[in-house]
Amino acid sequence: MTPAAGAAGPVLSHIHPTAATSLRARPAIGVARTIVLALLMLHAVEMTVLAGVARASGGRWHTGSDAMHLSSIVLWAAMAMVGWQMCRLLRGYRSLSVAGLAVQSGVLMTSVAVATDNVCAGVAVVTLATGILAGWGWLARTGPGIAGSAPATVRATGGGDQTSPAVDEVAVADRRRPGVGASLVGVLTFALVLAALSARSGIVFGLAILAVIFVPLERLFPLHPRRVLRRGWRTDVVHYLVNGTALKFGLIATAVVVGGFLRALVPEPLRLDVAASPTWVQIVAGLAISAIGNYAGHRAAHEIPLLWRFHRVHHSVRELDWLAANHLHPVDETFIRSAAVLPMYALGFGRIGLGTFAIVITLQAVFIHANVKTEFGPLRWLIATPHFHHWHHAREPQAHNSNYAGEFPLLDAIFGTLYLPTNRWPAQYGLDDLEPAGYLRQLAWPLTSSRTATRAARKPRPAPASCG
């Protein structure tokens, strides 16, 4: 954890807001220590089972090749990281670090892949990994008062103060001001759009299809009264046209640079078994793995200050609708999407699994940002909905650092980051920081200054109200 500024020296903790409750509301110290010891034992069992799986099937994975040696090195590195997480537990920290989150997510994703070939071993490790994460989530939600507990948490995702009308008026006036070099910026933006259209000629057709689907839905079931062409829609169209092409090249680059290395770490027999599994198995397992990777990447984008500087471009949106789903920085979008795609590629999933993920993630992302008032009843606990994701963008302090999953709220429930009140929607969205107008200015925003990107991380987070 990284110390933040302040007289008391608070720690930038990666936990759900409910961990900021007072010591009086926390469980007994004995109960907390029991949970800690249970997690330590589960950690040890988890890595033992994973090591056994790597040596399973009569030595089929014992190829003696360099890839196997790399796999062994990674396994030992993961065990060392788990040991570090054990030390953190003993010191009183109640949440996974980003590195610990990566290791546990990797274990969970690998276990799902193993289950496609060895159901018993895969289910066993998935159960263990889920139990460990649930334990971490319980500690994060309840904030048990164990010895050496972590200092008060701070928010790492932008301010929580309500914006006054005067500030909004200033923002509107600033957006209408032409600024220096506006003509040059417009020409460069137009050139980018033309380049994107030449690289992906069918992207306009995709935008038209999405508009035909979601514009009528938002008019029939509006959450907030809003014009179809609301403020900033032109910039968001540019985001859609340009970012789609940038993402394509970004994923290719990361697959070449990182994907090949990760693929070499996975024993070849496991990759072949995954590729040979039935189509429906690849689709189900692939969606599960990509959802876990997407959760981990999205959460890391909130908790690592450098990544947050790019991700805050998306959270600066103050009027959520279907088009706002594309209001993203290409660096941020490439990172989060890579966290979901690269594990599938490394584990041997073919085009069917990757193609299914691409379709589902695109439609789901647009759907959960839509300005549609519907809660979908009990299904909202199983499938990500606008009600679920709108709380992720909410400016209300109790909703901060929650609902990272893009497809399945169950992941947030396991990781301890679920916040889903009933019969209530956020009143406001966005951050305290004012985002510059125009695509190119928003592209350069993360690089202009680090002070505004970390300013919100220095604000203490008040204790939240309970979920309804």
Side-chain angles (χ1 to χ4, degrees):
M1 292 185 177
T2 305
V11 168
L12 185 61
S13 181
H14 316 307
I15 64 178
H16 189 264
T18 49
T21 53
S22 64
L23 285 172
R24 296 176 183 175
R26 295 171 181 171
I29 294 178
V31 175
R33 287 178 176 170
T34 300
I35 296 295
V36 168
L37 292 176
L39 286 177
L40 295 180
M41 294 177 62
L42 284 175
H43 271 306
V45 173
E46 175 188 50
M47 300 312 297
T48 301
V49 172
L50 190 62
V53 170
R55 299 175 181 275
S57 302
R60 279 194 310 117
W61 294 1
H62 235 339
T63 60
S65 62
D66 293 339
M68 190 63 213
H69 291 308
L70 285 173
S71 300
S72 301
I73 292 173
V74 171
L75 182 60
W76 282 106
M79 293 179 70
M81 184 57 65
V82 167
W84 172 243
Q85 292 292 149
M86 292 180 183
C87 294
R88 287 168 52 83
L89 273 174
L90 293 175
R91 291 173 58 192
Y93 288 98
R94 300 181 296 274
S95 175
L96 288 169
S97 64
V98 173
L101 172 67
V103 169
Q104 291 298 331
S105 299
V107 169
L108 192 55
M109 289 187 287
T110 303
S111 303
V112 174
V114 169
T116 63
D117 176 52
N118 189 327
V119 176
C120 294
V123 171
V125 185
V126 166
T127 303
L128 283 171
T130 303
I132 291 171
L133 290 172
W136 279 108
W138 184 88
L139 290 172
R141 287 193 301 270
T142 57
I146 57 181
S149 59
T153 60
V154 295
R155 172 165 165 74
T157 58
D161 298 338
Q162 301 298 321
T163 302
S164 63
V167 174
D168 281 338
E169 290 173 4
V170 172
V172 173
D174 182 68
R175 291 172 187 269
R176 293 175 179 174
R177 194 177 299 124
V180 179
S183 299
L184 177 61
V185 170
V187 170
L188 292 176
T189 302
F190 183 68
L192 276 178
V193 171
L194 289 180
L197 292 177
S198 63
R200 297 183 64 187
S201 57
I203 197 170
V204 175
F205 178 74
L207 179 63
I209 293 297
L210 292 175
V212 169
I213 295 173
F214 287 100
V215 169
L217 283 177
E218 292 187 342
R219 301 300 289 176
L220 292 172
F221 310 101
L223 173 62
H224 301 291
R226 190 170 297 150
R227 296 178 301 174
V228 174
L229 302 180
R230 43 87 176 162
R231 186 176 68 236
W233 71 270
R234 296 182 183 87
T235 301
D236 287 349
V237 168
V238 176
H239 273 281
Y240 176 87
L241 297 176
V242 177
N243 290 356
T245 304
L247 175 64
K248 177 181 178 181
F249 290 105
L251 287 178
I252 293 174
T254 55
V256 172
V257 176
V258 183
F261 173 73
L262 293 177
R263 196 176 179 88
L265 301 180
V266 179
E268 185 178 4
L270 175 60
R271 286 190 276 110
L272 293 177
D273 289 341
V274 170
S277 59
T279 300
W280 71 270
V281 173
Q282 286 198 46
I283 292 176
V284 173
L287 286 177
I289 290 172
S290 62
I292 297 168
N294 185 67
Y295 175 94
H298 189 186
R299 184 168 171 179
H302 279 256
E303 298 181 354
I304 298 177
L306 177 61
L307 295 178
W308 168 248
R309 291 173 63 177
F310 293 93
H311 189 59
R312 67 179 176 145
V313 172
H314 181 57
H315 276 269
S316 65
V317 175
R318 299 192 178 190
E319 293 181 295
L320 284 188
D321 61 8
W322 70 276
L323 193 55
N326 304 287
H327 191 100
L328 298 156
H329 197 284
V331 173
D332 169 55
E333 187 176 16
T334 300
F335 170 77
I336 296 178
R337 193 68 65 89
S338 296
V341 171
L342 292 184
M344 296 178 62
Y345 173 75
L347 290 167
F349 287 86
R351 294 183 178 180
I352 296 177
L354 292 170
T356 302
F357 162 76
I359 295 173
V360 171
I361 193 69
T362 300
L363 292 177
Q364 186 75 354
V366 176
F367 169 64
I368 60 180
H369 288 86
N371 181 38
V372 177
K373 187 176 183 179
T374 177
E375 297 185 2
F376 286 86
L379 287 179
R380 69 195 185 103
W381 301 102
L382 301 176
I383 302 173
T385 63
H387 184 235
F388 168 82
H389 193 70
H390 277 226
W391 280 110
H392 176 71
H393 283 264
R395 301 191 68 185
E396 300 183 21
Q398 61 266 36
H400 293 169
N401 302 333
S402 63
N403 298 5
Y404 295 112
E407 297 81 26
F408 308 112
L410 177 62
L411 285 174
D412 280 286
I414 293 174
F415 281 87
T417 53
L418 180 65
Y419 183 78
L420 197 56
T422 57
N423 302 322
R424 192 162 68 88
W425 290 74
Q428 290 183 325
Y429 308 98
L431 307 174
D432 290 344
D433 296 331
L434 296 179
E435 182 188 42
Y439 177 77
L440 289 180
R441 292 189 180 93
Q442 292 169 6
L443 206 65
W445 190 34
L447 308 176
T448 54
S449 173
S450 61
R451 184 174 63 178
T452 56
T454 57
R455 181 177 61 189
R458 305 178 190 276
K459 296 183 179 181
R461 182 171 47 198
S466 59
C467 299

